[in-house]
Amino acid sequence: MSNWTDIAALPELSERSLVRLSGLLPMDVPKGTVLFQPGEAVKGFVIMLEGRVDVFLTGPTGREILLYAVEPGQSCVQSTLGLMGGEDYSGEAITRGPARLVLVPKEMFLTLMGEDDGFRDFVFRAFAKRMQTMMHLLEKVAFTRVEARLAQILLERCEAGVLTATHAEIAVMIGSAREVVSRRLDALAKRGILHLERGRVEIRDFETLEVLAETD
Amino acid sequence: MSNWTDIAALPELSERSLVRLSGLLPMDVPKGTVLFQPGEAVKGFVIMLEGRVDVFLTGPTGREILLYAVEPGQSCVQSTLGLMGGEDYSGEAITRGPARLVLVPKEMFLTLMGEDDGFRDFVFRAFAKRMQTMMHLLEKVAFTRVEARLAQILLERCEAGVLTATHAEIAVMIGSAREVVSRRLDALAKRGILHLERGRVEIRDFETLEVLAETD
DNA sequence: CGCCTTCGGTGACCTAGTCACCGACAGCGG
DNA sequence: CCGCTGTCGGTGACTAGGTCACCGAAGGCG
């Protein structure tokens, strides 16, 4: 009788809440699925079980910026926003790999918010955390140079010193343009800090990169 | 026996909550008071009664950007953040004129959150609204040209077609640099859309300015 | 009246974003 | 194995915006 509510990093919920939630079926979605788009009505409250979802903001010119990533055990703040304030999504969410998630219908969400302290706390904390993330992002976009943001994302997202992504994808992550990223990466490669291959960035000099990430 | 809880645009609170809150004394603060600064510990939950507070984010270089303004009847989200997530302020709040506000101590705030649905709802909605504002701001900073942001702020903040502010202050509002604002304003004045005086911007052609505010 | 502070204007320079274009490299069907 | 095609990355030229240094003009005040 293993249930998804065991897996998720949910806080202590009441017995009644757990029963309610366990009635919901987790859904599996393949990589690249668009979970929601700007202007779409909110369907319910999303809890991630496996995989990761990237949430982007798209500008009128088509340029995009990564707002945040939703990791397992977290909820999607965008959906909460819609459920509480009544406004539609303004971001776009895409699964970054195969993912498993649970969709809590609006009615059940509101019921849980009203009667379960643990659930409310969970939602509120998620909210507060995202807000902080957004403020940091705003700070970065407004005040930090591209080179520093680039260094940061490379260090954050690399696996075993390698980031598997195209220049265009990296540009979206840091909210810049592809050409700019290409030029910056090129400059760093010429300094021996990185090694570039098609769709792949390999970090050669972590220390210097860490210094660059902190330089304003 | 008039009480401040009547004035504030608070939602329906329980009798018990109102009694608790009415025990708190509103405080008057003069123009230019710094309510909190980055790194400061959170004192409590703030509810505005009169006046307006501007909340800024300051970058490492000293450049600033206006995050949002807190109007009467609203609460300060930064304080909520600190109370819920435990993190310190990262913005700076300054009263834009003489203001009156109530400071709810942390313990009372947590009690109210736990036992009063109306209060919780009030806090949650404020949160959701600020989140939306922040996303819009992020979108603007990341994707909108300075000229458009300038036009927007002029239209938003003018009184009877006049904005009383120095170029430096306007620069902070739109997250740009003083020189850039000066040059843009100058360009708009040369086109006859504005009339400039020391510490004062007068709008001469609303229609054109509105078009500029919408042009991406 | 003269001093000082704040405000705004200017030129030079650098970083970043945009546009147009093009060559290099898979992947795939024939 | 070859050639087609779509993606990826590189480049030059231009524009917008931010930074720096500096300076003159306007207003406040003793």
Side-chain angles (χ1 to χ4, degrees):
Chain A
M1 274 290 292
S2 104
N3 198 295
W4 65 265
T5 49
D6 302 332
I7 306 163
L10 288 170
E12 322 78 58
L13 297 181
S14 71
E15 209 44 53
R16 188 158 57 149
S17 302
L18 285 174
V19 170
R20 275 195 221 279
L21 284 171
S22 58
L24 298 170
L25 285 179
M27 14 190 308
D28 285 289
V29 291
K31 171 180 172 168
T33 308
V34 177
L35 291 184
F36 57 76
Q37 280 175 305
E40 217 170 289
V42 182
K43 295 183 212 79
F45 179 73
V46 177
I47 302 175
M48 292 290 301
L49 300 182
E50 282 169 45
R52 201 180 66 204
V53 172
D54 283 344
V55 180
F56 301 95
L57 188 63
T58 307
T61 53
R63 242 180 84 202
E64 291 191 324
I65 183 168
L66 177 66
L67 286 180
Y68 52 82
V70 186
E71 314 265 348
Q74 301 181 331
S75 72
C76 178
V77 176
Q78 283 270 295
S79 56
T80 323
L81 261 184
L83 295 172
M84 298 304 300
E87 287 204 52
D88 287 345
Y89 296 120
S90 49
E92 184 184 22
I94 303 179
T95 51
R96 189 118 206 100
R100 172 183 292 242
L101 51 86
V102 175
L103 189 77
V104 183
K106 183 165 183 172
E107 297 72 33
M108 191 184 293
F109 171 77
L110 293 176
T111 308
L112 287 170
M113 283 294 285
E115 72 181 28
D116 192 321
D117 290 356
F119 184 79
R120 201 161 47 226
D121 205 57
F122 169 69
V123 171
F124 228 124
R125 276 179 198 284
F127 230 80
K129 203 175 161 194
R130 287 286 171 240
M131 191 76 131
Q132 291 277 6
T133 312
M134 297 272 296
M135 291 199 43
H136 282 138
L137 180 62
L138 187 56
E139 198 172 340
K140 281 184 195 174
V141 171
F143 304 127
T144 314
R145 289 179 320 137
V146 165
E147 191 171 70
R149 274 187 282 157
L150 188 53
Q152 284 167 22
I153 214 78
L154 287 175
L155 291 169
E156 268 174 37
R157 292 238 168 178
C158 71
E159 290 166 24
V162 172
L163 177 62
T164 308
T166 67
H167 295 186
E169 286 167 346
I170 298 174
V172 168
M173 292 182 205
I174 66 170
S176 178
R178 205 251 321 155
E179 299 92 317
V180 178
V181 170
S182 277
R183 284 191 251 260
R184 288 286 140 205
L185 285 175
D186 202 50
L188 294 176
K190 284 208 174 78
R191 289 170 61 187
I193 298 168
L194 304 176
H195 176 73
L196 304 180
E197 272 171 58
R198 194 185 172 86
R200 226 178 86 99
V201 179
E202 191 187 323
I203 301 176
R204 284 276 165 85
D205 182 349
F206 273 90
E207 293 199 9
T208 311
L209 203 59
E210 274 159 14
V211 173
L212 288 177
E214 295 308 316
T215 311
D216 302 309
Chain B
M1 273 287 295
S2 103
N3 197 294
W4 65 265
T5 49
D6 303 332
I7 306 162
L10 287 170
E12 322 79 57
L13 297 182
S14 70
E15 209 42 53
R16 190 158 53 150
S17 301
L18 286 174
V19 170
R20 275 194 222 279
L21 284 171
S22 57
L24 298 171
L25 285 181
M27 19 192 301
D28 285 291
V29 290
K31 169 179 176 172
T33 308
V34 177
L35 291 183
F36 57 76
Q37 281 175 303
E40 217 171 291
V42 182
K43 295 185 212 78
F45 180 74
V46 176
I47 301 173
M48 292 290 302
L49 300 183
E50 281 171 43
R52 202 178 65 203
V53 172
D54 284 343
V55 179
F56 301 95
L57 187 62
T58 308
T61 53
R63 243 180 83 202
E64 292 189 324
I65 183 169
L66 178 66
L67 287 179
Y68 51 83
V70 187
E71 314 264 349
Q74 300 181 331
S75 71
C76 177
V77 175
Q78 282 271 298
S79 56
T80 324
L81 262 183
L83 295 172
M84 299 305 299
E87 288 203 51
D88 287 345
Y89 297 120
S90 50
E92 185 184 20
I94 303 179
T95 52
R96 190 118 208 100
R100 172 183 292 244
L101 51 86
V102 174
L103 189 76
V104 183
K106 184 167 181 170
E107 296 72 37
M108 190 185 293
F109 171 77
L110 293 176
T111 308
L112 287 169
M113 283 294 285
E115 71 181 29
D116 191 322
D117 289 356
F119 185 77
R120 203 160 46 225
D121 204 56
F122 169 68
V123 172
F124 229 125
R125 276 180 199 285
F127 230 80
K129 203 174 162 197
R130 287 287 171 236
M131 190 77 129
Q132 292 276 7
T133 312
M134 297 272 296
M135 291 200 41
H136 282 139
L137 179 61
L138 188 55
E139 197 172 341
K140 280 185 195 171
V141 171
F143 303 126
T144 315
R145 293 210 324 275
V146 166
E147 191 169 71
R149 273 186 283 155
L150 188 53
Q152 285 166 23
I153 215 77
L154 286 176
L155 291 169
E156 268 173 37
R157 293 239 169 176
C158 70
E159 288 164 26
V162 172
L163 177 62
T164 309
T166 67
H167 295 185
E169 285 167 349
I170 298 175
V172 168
M173 291 181 204
I174 66 171
S176 178
R178 204 251 321 156
E179 298 93 319
V180 178
V181 170
S182 276
R183 284 191 251 260
R184 288 288 138 202
L185 284 175
D186 201 50
L188 294 176
K190 285 210 173 78
R191 289 170 61 186
I193 300 169
L194 304 176
H195 176 73
L196 303 181
E197 272 171 56
R198 192 186 174 85
R200 228 177 84 101
V201 179
E202 191 186 323
I203 301 176
R204 285 274 165 86
D205 182 350
F206 273 90
E207 293 199 8
T208 311
L209 203 60
E210 272 160 15
V211 172
L212 287 177
E214 295 308 317
T215 311
D216 301 311

